[in-house]
């Protein structure tokens, strides 16, 4: 660990909780959203032998009427130089973009993050994303958000919380160092999905009533750029996408995830699909082509991305093309690919990708339906529950094939507002121009098609998408921070 010093300063006046003078119907208190009243500590951490000094404003409740103050809080960190007119990495107090990393995993409740060392729970000397951002002159604002295990954390709680946190930053733009017109969101997996959803739904009226109920700051919630690692998104079509990719792969290594907050415990349990599960896979796979064809996606050259009834066609070639690109980059860097029976390489060039052999080699990790479990056993079933019902279905297919007692279906509006694809290319939203999406070639938590569709839909609607599948990287995020920050600097300083 680097040197760590923490000094409590008087800072500005202590604030945070301010009792409402005119509280009706027994509401206990309202929180003050004025950032200038927040207190801070001065901290410093060492990165590569260099001391990174910053002010830490931690645990700020970002809505007037929170439901859960363990999670509806934000930590804000500002490079110390910005309080004496200095610049860091070419940024100043006026121009520094605000890096907005969430810590959400598994659609579980998440506390805000802190600058420090180690990634994904691993202890190491490596500065995490928040600390890296500070060292490069970004203001860091890490939001907490409610999650599925709490009755108050069901969909759409987490996205409403993230929007409320964005509104807090925009509301306080004058009082706070950093440019709230340049908020760059980052997240991994469920957190990547929510990062993408946050971008795709900027200023949408669909969340207004939810935000109002929390007493979120008035104003916009659009952001400047999105970084998403392995987004577990398009949940209402992810079951068919999974079987489009993994149908025929009947042995699995199921990931048993037990977790509290961000402390994810993962355990692989091997098994083989039952006759009933194989039948579900066989019924789901043929549903995907009609869905893909309905999206009317195109590749960068304007060629229609479609699938025939067997799941073959230009969309499959498009996904396979990203695998080929990843392999080619390895080869060009002089790295070995190892024994890959799904790749054909001739004279140092990748000439073919066998997608079904790739799926078999990657390995199935989920039992069909992968997300909307017929027995209501998945994390996503719990995400789509409500205050009365812990777990619900969110697809017609799984409702029809339900095996659980007293099963209910989530309401269509909630399912709609959890899916970014419903907003890209529609009016009434302000969507960032710049997107960076990363999914490792060894990721089996959702089909590669899910992120490929998100990337294509964004590109087709005129947004700049940096989409890439890093070679052999498993389900994870923040593994390429140097590249992430090169991209962030480029998009935030381009004219
Ligand atoms: C996450 C992983 C999953 O496989 C999933 O279905 C949902 C979330 C996660 O790591 O956040």
């Amino acid at each position: 660990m680097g040197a760590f010093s923490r000094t409590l300063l008087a800072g500005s006046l202590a604030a945070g909780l301010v009792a409402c003078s005119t509280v009706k119907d027994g509401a206990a208190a309202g929180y003050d959203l004025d950032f200038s009243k927040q207190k801070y500590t001065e901290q410093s951490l060492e990165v590569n032998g260099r001391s990174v000094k910053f002010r830490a404003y931690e645990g700020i409740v970002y809505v007037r009427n929170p439901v859960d103050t363990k999670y509806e809080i934000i930590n804000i960190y500002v490079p110390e130089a910005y309080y004496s007119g200095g610049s860091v990495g070419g940024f100043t107090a006026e121009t520094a973009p605000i890096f907005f990393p969430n810590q959400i995993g598994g659609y579980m409740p998440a506390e805000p993050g802190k600058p420090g060392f180690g990634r994904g729970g691993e202890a190491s000397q490596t500065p995490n994303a928040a600390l890296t951002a500070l060292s490069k002159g970004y203001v860091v604002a890490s939001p907490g958000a409610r999650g599925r295990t709490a009755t108050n954390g069901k969909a759409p709680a987490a996205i409403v919380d993230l929007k409320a946190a964005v509104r807090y930053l925009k509301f306080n733009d004058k009082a706070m160092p950093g440019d709230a017109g340049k908020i760059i969101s980052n997240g991994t997996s469920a957190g990547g999905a929510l990062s993408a959803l946050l971008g795709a739904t900027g200023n949408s009226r669909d969340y207004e009533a939810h935000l109002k109920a929390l007493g979120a700051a008035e104003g916009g919630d659009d952001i400047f750029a999105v970084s998403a690692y392995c987004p577990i998104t398009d949940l209402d079509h992810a079951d068919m996408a999974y079987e489009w990719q993994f149908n025929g792969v009947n042995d699995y290594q199921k990931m048993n995830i037990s977790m509290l907050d961000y402390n994810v415990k993962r355990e692989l349990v091997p098994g083989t699909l039952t006759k009933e599960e194989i039948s579900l896979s066989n019924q789901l796979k043929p549903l995907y082509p009609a869905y893909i064809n309905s999206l009317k996606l195109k590749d960068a050259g304007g060629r229609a991305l479609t699938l025939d009834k067997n799941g073959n066609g230009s969309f499959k070639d498009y996904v396979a093309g990203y695998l080929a690109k990843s392999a080619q980059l390895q080869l060009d860097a002089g790295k070995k690919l190892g024994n890959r029976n799904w790749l054909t390489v001739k004279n140092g060039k990748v000439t073919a990708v066998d997608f079904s052999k790739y799926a078999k080699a990657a390995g199935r990790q989920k039992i069909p339906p992968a997300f909307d479990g017929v027995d209501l056993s998945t994390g996503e079933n719990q995400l789509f529950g409500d205050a009365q019902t812990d777990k619900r279905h969110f697809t017609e297919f799984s409702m029809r094939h339900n095996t659980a007692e007293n099963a209910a279906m989530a309401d269509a509006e909630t399912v709609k507002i959890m899916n970014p694809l419903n907003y890209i290319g529609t009016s009434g939203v302000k969507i960032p121009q710049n997107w960076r999406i990363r999914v490792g070639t060894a990721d089996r938590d959702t089909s590669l098609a899910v992120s490929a569709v998100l990337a294509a839909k964004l590109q087709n609607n005129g947004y700049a998408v940096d989409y890439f599948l890093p070679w052999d990287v498993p389900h994870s995020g923040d593994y390429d921070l140097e590249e992430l920050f090169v991209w962030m600097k480029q998009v935030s300083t381009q004219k």
Side-chain angles (χ1 to χ4, degrees):
M1 293 286 274
F4 185 82
S5 74
R6 183 181 259 241
T7 329
L8 191 67
L9 279 201
S12 328
L13 292 173
L17 187 63
V18 173
C20 265
S21 48
T22 53
V23 178
K24 289 185 189 131
D25 58 56
Y31 284 78
D32 190 332
L33 301 186
D34 182 357
F35 176 77
S36 66
K37 294 179 188 160
Q38 289 297 330
K39 59 180 185 207
Y40 62 89
T41 60
E42 284 191 347
Q43 301 186 10
S44 117
L45 290 167
E46 209 163 284
V47 177
N48 301 327
R50 194 166 65 88
S51 167
V52 177
K53 292 191 164 62
F54 56 92
R55 292 191 187 183
Y57 302 81
E58 295 180 320
I60 303 171
V61 175
Y62 54 65
V63 287
R64 296 187 185 94
N65 313 312
V67 172
D68 192 336
T69 54
K70 181 160 185 217
Y71 300 112
E72 289 172 308
I73 52 176
I74 188 163
N75 289 348
I76 296 172
Y77 303 93
V78 183
E80 185 62 40
Y82 294 162
Y83 295 94
S84 52
S87 71
V88 184
F91 297 123
T92 65
E94 283 70 46
T95 64
I98 302 176
F99 183 55
F100 188 79
N102 74 64
Q103 303 262 96
I104 298 165
Y107 286 104
M108 301 289 280
E111 293 185 40
K114 295 172 192 261
F117 300 88
R119 288 176 203 153
E122 259 172 56
S124 79
Q125 302 279 90
T126 322
N128 66 15
L131 180 53
T132 305
L134 279 172
S135 76
K136 294 178 186 293
Y138 293 81
V139 168
V140 173
S142 182
R146 291 168 293 162
R148 64 176 163 87
T149 43
T151 52
N152 65 38
K154 308 295 184 180
I159 185 61
V160 174
D161 286 350
L162 294 186
K163 282 178 172 289
V166 167
R167 284 193 178 190
Y168 178 91
L169 297 173
K170 287 171 143 339
F171 186 76
N172 284 292
D173 196 16
K174 288 212 173 66
M176 239 183 82
D179 179 358
K182 293 229 170 110
I183 296 173
I184 305 176
S185 171
N186 182 53
T188 297
S189 196
L194 287 158
S195 185
L197 186 60
L198 185 66
T201 61
N203 300 344
S204 166
R205 300 290 302 168
D206 289 359
Y207 305 82
E208 191 57 38
H210 296 287
L211 287 160
K212 210 172 177 115
L214 291 176
E218 294 72 26
D221 49 59
D222 58 298
I223 58 171
F224 177 73
V226 171
S227 161
Y229 290 94
C230 50
I232 302 288
T233 190
D234 196 11
L235 295 172
D236 40 330
H237 305 99
D239 293 336
M240 43 178 103
Y242 206 81
E243 299 318 313
W244 170 75
Q245 181 165 329
F246 289 106
N247 180 262
V249 182
N250 295 335
D251 293 333
Y252 59 79
Q253 296 264 327
K254 184 173 166 11
M255 184 75 79
N256 269 3
I257 304 181
S258 51
M259 47 188 160
L260 269 179
D261 298 340
Y262 203 56
N263 300 313
V264 182
K265 237 178 142 175
R266 292 164 170 274
E267 191 190 11
L268 282 172
V269 183
T272 302
L273 296 186
T274 63
K275 258 198 348 245
E276 290 73 24
E277 288 159 354
I278 291 171
S279 164
L280 289 169
S281 173
N282 291 342
Q283 293 171 73
L284 280 163
K285 180 189 172 187
L287 300 179
Y288 200 51
Y291 171 63
I292 284 296
N293 297 340
S294 78
L295 296 174
K296 307 222 178 312
L297 300 172
K298 294 189 170 77
D299 69 10
R303 193 171 69 132
L305 298 174
T306 59
L307 292 174
D308 66 21
K309 65 178 180 3
N310 299 316
N312 295 317
S314 54
F315 177 77
K316 190 172 179 175
D317 300 342
Y318 161 81
V319 177
Y322 280 102
L323 288 168
K325 208 186 240 175
S326 180
Q328 189 64 55
L329 210 74
Q330 287 292 109
L331 291 172
D332 294 349
K335 294 185 184 145
K336 294 244 169 5
L337 295 179
N339 187 17
R340 312 289 160 139
N341 68 353
W342 50 273
L343 266 182
T344 312
V345 179
K346 283 183 188 141
N347 301 322
K349 296 283 171 221
V350 175
T351 56
V353 169
D354 184 322
F355 195 69
S356 32
K357 280 191 185 153
Y358 160 75
K360 198 165 177 116
R364 173 189 283 278
Q365 186 190 294
K366 293 186 173 181
I367 294 168
F371 295 89
D372 188 354
V374 286
D375 58 354
L376 291 176
S377 65
T378 71
E380 284 77 11
N381 289 132
Q382 190 175 47
L383 173 67
F384 283 105
D386 66 6
Q388 289 75 43
T389 313
D390 188 40
K391 296 166 177 179
R392 293 190 297 186
H393 289 298
F394 50 94
T395 64
E396 293 291 342
F397 181 91
S398 290
M399 188 70 210
R400 219 168 40 242
H401 294 84
N402 171 64
T403 61
E405 271 177 45
N406 300 323
M409 182 85 180
D411 59 287
E413 180 64 15
T414 302
V415 178
K416 178 198 167 195
I417 67 177
M418 289 301 289
N419 191 336
L421 297 178
N422 294 324
Y423 294 88
I424 301 161
T426 70
S427 59
V429 284
K430 189 167 175 205
I431 298 182
Q433 181 59 27
N434 292 293
W435 293 68
R436 185 178 192 270
I437 303 169
R438 290 291 180 274
V439 182
T441 63
D443 197 323
R444 306 90 40 84
D445 278 55
T446 193
S447 170
L448 292 183
V450 169
S451 54
V453 165
L454 176 63
K457 182 143 191 182
L458 285 162
Q459 263 156 6
N460 293 175
N461 283 283
Y463 302 104
V465 189
D466 178 339
Y467 176 50
F468 185 69
L469 310 179
W471 186 252
D472 255 3
V473 169
H475 189 66
S476 54
D478 291 0
Y479 40 75
D480 56 353
L481 291 180
E482 282 307 315
E483 291 164 50
L484 170 66
F485 280 95
V486 166
W487 174 82
M488 281 172 48
K489 176 101 191 197
Q490 188 246 317
V491 301
S492 57
T493 54
Q494 72 196 356
K495 289 280 177 289

